[in-house]
Amino acid sequence: MNDASAPVLTARGVRLGFADDVVLDDIDLEVAPREFVAMVGASGVGKSTLLRAFAGLLAPQRGDVHLSTAEASASRDCSMVFQAPRLFPWRRVRANVELGLEGLGLSRDERRTRAMEPLSLVGLEELAERWPRTLSGGQQQRVGIARALAVRPRVLFMDEPFSALDALTRQRLQSELTELRQRSDAAIVFVTHDIEEAVLLADRVVVLAKPDKGAPATVRDIVTIDLPLARRREQSGFRDHVQRLEQHIGVAATPEETTS
Amino acid sequence: MTRPARHRRTLISAVSLATLVTLWETALRVGWLPSNLVPLPSQIPGVLWAEVLDGIWLDVVLSSLSHYSIGLVIGSVLGIAVGMAAALLPRFDAAHSWLARLLRPIPPLAWIPFAIIWFGVTETAAAFIISIGVFWINYFTSYSAVRAIDDGYYEVARAFGQGGFSARLAKISLPAAAPGILGGLRAGLGQGWMTVVAAELFGIPGIGQRMMEASGLLATDVVVVYMLTIAALYALFDFLFMRIQRRVLRWQQ
Ligand SMILES: Nc1ncnc2c1ncn2[C@@H]1O[C@H](COP(=O)(O)OP(=O)(O)OP(=O)(O)O)[C@@H](O)[C@H]1O
Ligand SMILES: [Mg+2]
């Protein structure tokens, strides 16, 4: 049913809010298989809310969100990495990674093997039997990533996964993520308020902003980042992208078509 | 606490207890205290031994233990079940909340008249009264523990396909609330002993009844033997419980 290039995520005319308060409106977005889309926007603009709607954790008030169905057996359509690692402290690291694999009809041994794969991908197979509280913040966030990869999602949602980490750990995890995406089949939708991070990692950057003060936010711009992967902040073209995006995030900026 | 500090603490505790007992003994021997009001500490081991040889000690202890454990199990299981259900099911919470507010302040011993009317002067009546105090402690701690669970965990569960009621209960509510629930169980362990003795004062066989008998004969030494027995049994239960608790909550330490 899914042909190879059909989008894995389609949002059409999505409106999101809480009670009478509309936070986002008219959101249209398509994410291609294995694509890396970053979403940037000011704090409170609705990035987390939109991601939760994409992941099916929140129903849109209007419009619809469609995720293409996972075709691999024992996998899930999508999974999520949260801003705080949100590991279950009462489960050992490996059992945390197994969470999404429960109820997929896998045996105990299969679950264990499936959990060890992403753990070694994030370099933590040694810590599989540890309790989460004995891990550093960066290690915990890696476990969160492993937990999300374990279900072999078609789309991986990441909500500011590195923002709580120190600068060094963040840079390490950013380059690990670039490597990781080449070894995984998942498309990634990555929320961040850090424009450089978005330019560093993404194929396309979606800018969410309010057209006017008080109005619901919408997609102001989508910028394609055509720099080759394994990017560095010093390379030519990097700053141009960052500057263009910075201009678009401010409330007063006028929408304009940007291709790159 | 460092090791030497801990040792010094133990030493101080032991020395002050020994001093108190010695003072007590001396006061009685010198005649500062009337000997019909309190027993000589040095007599206690002998009296305990006599009670054991008579078979009385084991009888009353087993009998009290049986009320205690039945009341404890029933009160704990119901308390945890109702407390968790109230925290997890808004309808049930609303339905029961006034009733709970009405019944909760009633002390377990105030149920003695009904216990005797419903069950007679029987072991069941004792177990019933014990279970009431234990119920409320467990009810309240389980309710608060489940209420205090971070919503974020439930969102994680939903994001990973574990959003069903039973999955959430088994994978989040129970383990996340376990520290609070176990704390309530432990408090119930102590509360249970308090009501055991009181419930037995009305003639249900057990430690309490034996203490009443002894007090009728002014046998203060026998009373003290059973007071110490209760303290020792409580300490034993608490110790065993702590070991289990530490094992269950080893993710926390
Ligand atoms: N559960 C909720 N109930 C009511 N309003 C909410 C709720 N969650 C979020 N909001 C509101 O929706 C808006 C968007 O919130 P959201 O968390 O999506 O922002 P964000 O872009 O992720 O911000 P940040 O960068 O600070 O994480 C905010 O105005 C917030 O107050
Ligand atoms: Mg957010």
Side-chain angles (χ1 to χ4, degrees), chain A residues 17 33 101 155 180:
Chain A
L101 300 171
V155 194
L180 219 132

Side-chain angles (χ1 to χ4, degrees), chain A residues 42-49 83 159-160 191 193:
Chain A
S43 179
V45 81
K47 304 182 293 295
S48 300
T49 306
Q83 178 163 0
D159 190 358
E160 304 197 34
V191 162
H193 58 246

